[in-house]
DNA sequence: GGCATGACATTGC
DNA sequence: AGCAATGCCATGC
């Protein structure tokens, strides 16, 4: 397993894991201080058009971002491709995500973050 | 299998 | 820049 992402994609395509489980594992690969767009995650998993389903998978996370496997997921490192944060209108999750990002050094200017600067460059595989 | 539901992306105003 | 209309597809009923 040279690259964790490769294993995830393999498990997904082989039908060993569900889509949302693949999303959870992929998001865990994002290092602190970096972010990825929903579409980026979908692309990594081999389904470029399933951006919306990435959001759906994250929405299915339990309290505290705990996935079905019991492990936490750094869901706050996933933003919209234009650099805005989803659910900003949400009194709970919106501010929480912004605060978590800021804690890792990801600053937002005018409600947006610079994707050119903070987007994670995944290892090729 | 059909139908509704979305933490999105893209395009066209 | 901002907004509406469309396309998308995993999940659950």
């Amino acid at each position: 397993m040279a690259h964790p992402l490769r294993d995830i994609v393999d498990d997904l395509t082989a039908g060993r894991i569900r889509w949302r489980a693949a999303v959870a594992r992929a998001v865990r690969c994002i290092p602190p201080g970096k972010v990825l767009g929903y579409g980026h995650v979908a692309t990594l998993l081999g389904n470029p058009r399933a951006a919306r389903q990435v959001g759906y998978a994250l929405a299915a996370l339990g309290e505290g971002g705990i996935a079905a496997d019991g492990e936490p997921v750094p869901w706050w490192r996933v933003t919209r491709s234009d650099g805005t944060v989803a659910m900003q209108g949400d009194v709970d999750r919106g501010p929480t995500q912004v605060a978590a990002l800021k804690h890792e050094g990801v600053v937002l200017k005018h409600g947006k973050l610079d994707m050119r600067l903070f987007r994670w460059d995944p290892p090729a595989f």
Side-chain angles (χ1 to χ4, degrees), chain A residues 27-45:
Chain A
V27 173
R28 290 191 189 113
C29 294
I30 307 174
K34 289 291 181 181
V35 301
L36 227 46
Y38 295 88
H40 293 138
V41 176
T43 300
L44 286 180
L45 295 177

Side-chain angles (χ1 to χ4, degrees), chain A residues 6-123:
Chain A
R6 178 56 173 279
D7 291 338
I8 298 173
V9 175
D10 284 345
D11 285 344
L12 180 62
T13 55
R16 288 189 288 272
I17 60 176
R18 307 265 280 166
W19 169 263
R20 67 186 189 192
V23 171
R25 288 171 57 182
V27 173
R28 290 191 189 113
C29 294
I30 307 174
K34 289 291 181 181
V35 301
L36 227 46
Y38 295 88
H40 293 138
V41 176
T43 300
L44 286 180
L45 295 177
N47 201 337
R49 301 173 187 168
R52 234 177 153 177
Q53 284 52 245
V54 172
Y56 183 89
L58 294 182
L61 293 175
E63 285 293 321
I66 305 300
D69 60 8
E71 295 299 311
V73 175
W75 55 269
W76 58 88
R77 293 179 195 147
V78 183
T79 70
R80 289 186 181 138
S81 61
D82 66 355
T84 60
V85 173
M87 298 264 62
Q88 275 192 312
D90 191 298
V91 292
D92 291 324
R93 296 175 286 188
T96 298
Q97 179 166 15
V98 175
L101 287 172
K102 183 179 180 182
H103 186 70
E104 297 183 344
V106 180
V107 296
L108 278 72
K109 291 175 181 174
H110 301 63
K112 304 177 71 170
L113 62 86
D114 192 341
M115 290 301 278
R116 298 178 308 173
L117 217 59
F118 301 112
R119 185 173 101 65
W120 176 49
D121 295 314

